[in-house]
Amino acid sequence: MTFKANAGLLSIWISLVSNIALTILKIVVGLLFASPVLVADGIHNAGDIIATIAALTSSMVSKKPADDDHPYGHGKAEVVASALVAIILAIAALWIGYHAILTLREPPESQSLLPLAAAVVSLVWKQVLYVYTIRVGRAVNSKSVLATAYDHLADVYASLAAVIGIGLAYIGERLDWSWAAYGDPVAGIVVSLLVLKLAYEMGTDAIDILMERNVSPAKLAQYEKLIAGEPEIKRIDRVRAREHGHYIIVDVRVGIPSHYTIQQGHDIGRALKRCIMDSDPDVVEVLVHMNPWNEGE
């Protein structure tokens, strides 16, 4: 297994252990001190455990080499996990919003410092995990690691809401600010909308990749420029490229002089493939189709 693969798997394992620890911390403290927002955040973290296990499994599957049944590799396993995380985030967002609305209709609970401390620990911990996993995910170009990072970001929002809500309630109770008791549920509603937006963006990206959307116009233009720079290629008929999880597959159709031999066409195709793969380390396969070109076209 490569260094990149090891780095990606390590980041997901760290995320899994952290999610288990934070889930236990939040639910236990939330139940002991009757903090609804902390219990809700703990249940949100329990969903994260499922999402992280999915990301871990898909990351291991995606690194398997191509075989007869999967000739293009297993890279899309990561995209499936990313879509699953998006679904879990959407469910968590609806749960947080529903719970916050219910809390608005109930008498405010008395607050203590321990739930506030637990929320602060979660906020700092999740921010550190987000920064770590987003850097690893971008470095290794792993959809499952990036999905885990965005899951941490959603937790940062949720923990921030818990800190603000519990903090306002704690301060308001001591300064006799009756309105401050409702800072908790209002912050929860705002966070649920932010998490829902994040889930929508992740889900849309995963669906686009599963539907084999073209890569960005900038990348296509980069490939076309490289192809045009090959002197033996007289015409560019089509350039397509699609993400296959953590790597890209490029499909090229070009015109070469019709009198060239099969060997000459083969050599040109190999040179073009090597040129594109050398320019973009994310490309693992270039499929080249040669069409005949005649003088005067």
Side-chain angles (χ1 to χ4, degrees), residues 46-228:
D48 294 340
I49 294 174
I50 299 173
T52 308
I53 291 174
L56 179 63
T57 304
S58 69
S59 183
M60 295 172 69
V61 171
S62 71
K63 302 301 184 295
K64 292 171 62 178
D67 53 37
D68 291 340
D69 293 329
H70 305 89
Y72 298 105
H74 299 77
K76 283 190 177 178
E78 290 193 313
V79 186
V80 174
S82 181
L84 178 59
V85 172
I87 293 171
I88 292 174
L89 283 179
I91 294 172
L94 295 175
W95 166 260
I96 294 171
Y98 173 72
H99 187 273
I101 292 172
L102 287 183
T103 305
L104 278 173
R105 303 171 60 182
E106 299 173 356
E109 298 279 352
S110 178
Q111 299 293 339
S112 65
L113 280 176
L114 192 54
L116 178 61
V120 170
V121 168
S122 175
L123 174 62
V124 174
W125 197 337
K126 280 294 184 175
Q127 178 62 29
V128 171
L129 285 172
Y130 167 68
V131 172
Y132 166 59
T133 50
I134 197 70
R135 287 179 178 174
V136 172
R138 288 171 178 168
V140 304
N141 192 30
S142 169
K143 297 296 180 184
S144 57
V145 177
L146 289 173
T148 302
Y150 292 129
D151 190 26
H152 289 322
L153 181 59
D155 292 337
V156 170
Y157 294 151
S159 296
L160 180 60
V163 169
I164 294 173
I166 297 172
L168 276 176
Y170 181 81
I171 295 171
E173 186 178 354
R174 280 141 189 80
L175 298 181
D176 199 25
W177 294 345
S178 57
W179 58 268
Y182 297 98
D184 183 332
V186 170
I189 292 172
V190 172
V191 166
S192 70
L193 295 175
L194 291 174
V195 175
L196 197 60
K197 177 177 180 291
L198 183 62
Y200 171 78
E201 291 172 349
M202 282 183 61
T204 301
D205 184 57
I207 290 172
D208 282 341
I209 294 175
L210 289 172
M211 295 295 290
E212 300 197 338
R213 177 194 61 183
N214 242 338
V215 297
S216 68
K219 270 196 177 291
L220 284 179
Q222 174 190 343
Y223 301 149
E224 289 179 0
K225 183 177 180 180
L226 291 169
I227 296 169

Side-chain angles (χ1 to χ4, degrees), residues 17-29:
V17 173
S18 297
N19 281 330
I20 293 172
L22 287 173
T23 297
I24 295 172
L25 173 68
K26 292 176 186 178
I27 292 180
V28 170
V29 174

